[in-house]
Amino acid sequence: MPHLPDAGGIPNASGIPHAGGTLLAAGTETVKAAGPVPQLVVAALSGVVVIIVLITWLKIHPFIALTIGALGVGIGAGLAPEKAVTSFGDGFGATMTSVGILVGLGSMFGKMLVDSGAADRVVDTLVRRSSPAALPWTMALIGALIGLPMFFEVGLVLLIPIIVLVAKRSSVPIMKIAVPALVGLSTMHAFVPPHPGPLVAIATVGANLGTTLAFGIVLAIPVIILAGPVFARFAARWVDIPAPDLFGSRGRAADDGPADPAHAGREARRGPATQDTASLPNGKSDFTRVISEPRSPSFTVALVGILLPVVLMLAQAIREATVPDASGTWVGLLDFLGTPMIAIGIAALYAIVFFAIGGGMDRSAVAKSLESALPPVAGVLLIVGAGGGFKQVLIDTGIGGVIADAVKDSGVSVLLVAWVVSALVRVATGSATVATVTAAGIMAPIAQDLSSPVVSLLVLAIGAGSVFLSHVNDAGFWLVKGYLNTTVGQTFKTWTVLECLISVIGLLGVLLAGVFIR
């Protein structure tokens, strides 16, 4: 199991008695604790409890809850009120600088992927080439590909019509189709940048994005296999229900289409008329999906766009790992293209040119699509920024050093601690993003004494914990229940279990990797 070694002369967070409190090391700086250790511990625990109560009981937005909790921790630990505000602001700004641009560009890319028809093209092509026996595996691949650049909720709305139509036309049980797709989507959301959760964890603990991306993709493969197609066999027995009738208003597209599942992907975006409306089960107009037939990009063009930022960032990470001291024009170019902001920015430009314009969208349609991509992520960005502020307060009060000492002296794997902290916040608040940003802030001081590869594993442990035990306080739980028309009990047997499998298998994979990576 990974331990907490001294890293290149960086001081460990060790306590030294002092009249005004304790001198604690945080990173390369020695931070004077704002108060005695018992006061710091009480302040930290109280702050986390306040955040959880505000979100779960009072239903306060997580951004406000994190802000109140962070300022309360700072003042309760002994910081002057103005110093607590300054500390929170510094952390907020630093996190938004490193994460905000990436989330914005990633959201624009995902919107172009959907609006241009490129996402439908990928789904259509893969489903058409699959036999009924291979469909669960194909749906897992589709979920992963769609989940790579897109937020979970957006990917879910996109995939639900495909899941239902494939199940209806293939006569394969709905759970054998739905579970693998949902697992692919959720696993990418938890482990793989450029999703906000992994990005903010990377920025908060100082992990290398390329290394984390590589580890995340490798870890995702066994997780998706075991929690997806393998578990789907059991889920289909436990919950044997017909595919829900989401397309009653679509006429032929719902009932009279060809029985061949090869046509399911096409029919999901094309009905007998040019434009059809598929009403989703919650009955809200803002979740009514308009399915149209643009001149969508080819499968190859769509796939290249999805994988482009991943390839650029991985190439830069491989260069750093294999030839760290190399120099020259090609090294500079590779490092520039592999910079996260540049890689995702190139992907966004690629999507505008090849997905949107190449797919027949005019300039006004492109502009409207890009503009509509940003409002949905505003709340996420505020939560992410507040998480960064919370982390900085923990460091500036000296609480981070106390946490680091406690973990180091306990002998418990830091990866397991990270998972437990993230999982507890997830179960309490129902939010994977809040769990990630809170756990990353708490673990940030500990990460400063770890090697770079282990810090990347730390990010993945936090991501694994952030999806643990989805239940009735999680919006995703109710979305899946409504879309698949399951009861609460059936949703627990399928969605909750698959989320636990993703979390636990991910943790086991991280712990196993930690045995060999130091």
Side-chain angles (χ1 to χ4, degrees):
M1 299 296 177
H3 56 289
L4 293 168
D6 292 342
I10 297 176
N12 281 320
S14 55
I16 304 173
H18 188 270
T22 305
L23 288 178
L24 297 163
T28 57
E29 300 177 3
T30 299
V31 178
K32 181 180 178 180
V37 170
Q39 180 181 350
L40 299 181
V41 173
V42 171
L45 292 176
S46 300
V48 173
V49 170
V50 165
I51 291 170
I52 292 173
V53 169
L54 287 176
I55 294 173
T56 58
W57 186 47
L58 296 179
K59 307 300 180 184
I60 300 295
H61 191 277
F63 166 66
I64 298 177
L66 282 165
T67 302
I68 293 173
L71 295 178
V73 167
I75 296 171
L79 286 182
E82 64 273 15
K83 172 59 179 173
V85 172
T86 300
S87 178
F88 178 82
D90 290 344
F92 186 99
T95 302
M96 292 302 295
T97 299
S98 58
V99 176
I101 297 174
L102 303 185
V103 173
L105 290 172
S107 180
M108 289 180 170
F109 176 83
K111 187 64 173 172
M112 287 286 94
L113 185 70
V114 173
D115 290 352
S116 66
D120 279 346
R121 177 70 73 182
V122 171
V123 172
D124 178 33
T125 302
L126 292 176
V127 169
R128 191 189 326 124
R129 296 179 180 179
S130 299
S131 66
L135 277 176
W137 300 89
T138 301
M139 295 305 294
L141 177 60
I142 289 172
L145 286 175
I146 297 301
L148 197 58
M150 297 175 64
F151 294 115
F152 177 82
E153 290 81 2
V154 177
L156 181 61
V157 172
L158 173 70
L159 283 177
I160 282 297
I162 307 300
I163 290 171
V164 172
L165 290 172
V166 169
K168 279 181 174 291
R169 303 215 175 118
S170 65
S171 299
V172 174
I174 181 69
M175 287 304 166
K176 283 192 175 182
I177 302 297
V179 166
L182 294 174
V183 166
L185 200 61
S186 185
T187 301
M188 294 293 109
H189 180 79
F191 295 141
V192 181
H195 287 291
L199 279 179
V200 72
I202 288 168
T204 302
V205 304
N208 180 280
L209 191 147
T211 303
T212 308
L213 177 62
F215 285 177
I217 292 174
V218 172
L219 177 63
I221 293 172
V223 171
I224 291 174
I225 290 174
L226 294 175
V230 173
F231 169 64
R233 299 177 184 176
F234 299 95
R237 296 174 190 168
W238 297 343
V239 181
D240 185 10
I241 60 174
D245 185 13
L246 301 186
F247 305 99
S249 63
R250 295 188 64 204
R252 177 180 174 276
D255 304 313
D256 304 326
D260 184 358
H263 298 278
R266 272 196 307 281
E267 294 296 334
R269 69 171 195 274
R270 182 180 65 206
T274 302
Q275 192 176 67
D276 297 312
T277 300
S279 297
L280 297 179
N282 59 13
K284 295 182 180 179
S285 60
D286 58 333
F287 276 82
T288 298
R289 180 166 180 242
V290 176
I291 303 173
S292 58
E293 178 77 29
R295 190 178 73 231
S296 55
S298 68
F299 173 77
T300 301
V301 169
L303 190 62
V304 167
I306 292 172
L307 297 179
L308 181 59
V310 176
V311 171
L312 290 175
M313 289 187 285
L314 280 180
Q316 194 269 344
I318 293 171
R319 198 283 304 163
E320 276 191 348
T322 55
V323 282
D325 299 324
S327 60
T329 303
W330 73 272
V331 173
L333 179 62
L334 196 61
D335 289 349
F336 173 74
L337 295 177
T339 302
M341 182 179 70
I342 301 301
I344 299 175
I346 290 173
L349 291 175
Y350 179 98
I352 293 172
V353 174
F354 294 99
F355 290 177
I357 298 176
M361 295 174 66
D362 59 27
R363 285 177 294 180
S364 62
V366 173
K368 183 178 180 180
S369 182
L370 292 174
E371 182 181 353
S372 65
L374 296 179
V377 302
V380 174
L381 288 176
L382 288 174
I383 295 171
V384 165
F390 178 64
K391 178 262 303 189
Q392 193 60 45
V393 169
L394 290 177
I395 291 176
D396 290 347
T397 57
I399 294 173
V402 174
I403 296 171
D405 270 347
V407 174
K408 179 186 66 175
D409 295 339
S410 71
V412 178
S413 165
V414 66
L415 302 178
L416 180 59
V417 172
W419 182 88
V420 170
V421 172
S422 182
L424 288 175
V425 178
R426 156 68 164 186
V427 172
T429 65
S431 171
T433 302
V434 172
T436 300
V437 299
T438 305
I442 292 173
M443 302 303 295
I446 302 172
Q448 293 166 344
D449 286 334
L450 303 175
S451 67
S452 180
V454 175
V455 174
S456 292
L457 293 179
L458 185 71
V459 170
L460 299 180
I462 291 171
S466 74
V467 296
F468 182 71
L469 198 63
S470 170
H471 61 98
V472 294
N473 65 351
D474 177 18
F477 179 94
W478 297 106
L479 282 173
V480 172
K481 176 190 178 299
Y483 289 158
L484 297 183
N485 197 28
T486 52
T487 66
V488 170
Q490 290 170 334
T491 309
F492 272 112
K493 291 180 181 179
T494 53
W495 167 252
T496 301
V497 173
L498 75 83
E499 287 284 88
C500 288
L501 286 173
I502 293 171
S503 182
V504 173
I505 296 171
L507 170 65
L508 294 176
V510 167
L511 293 177
L512 179 61
V515 174
F516 303 98
I517 297 174
R518 296 289 181 174

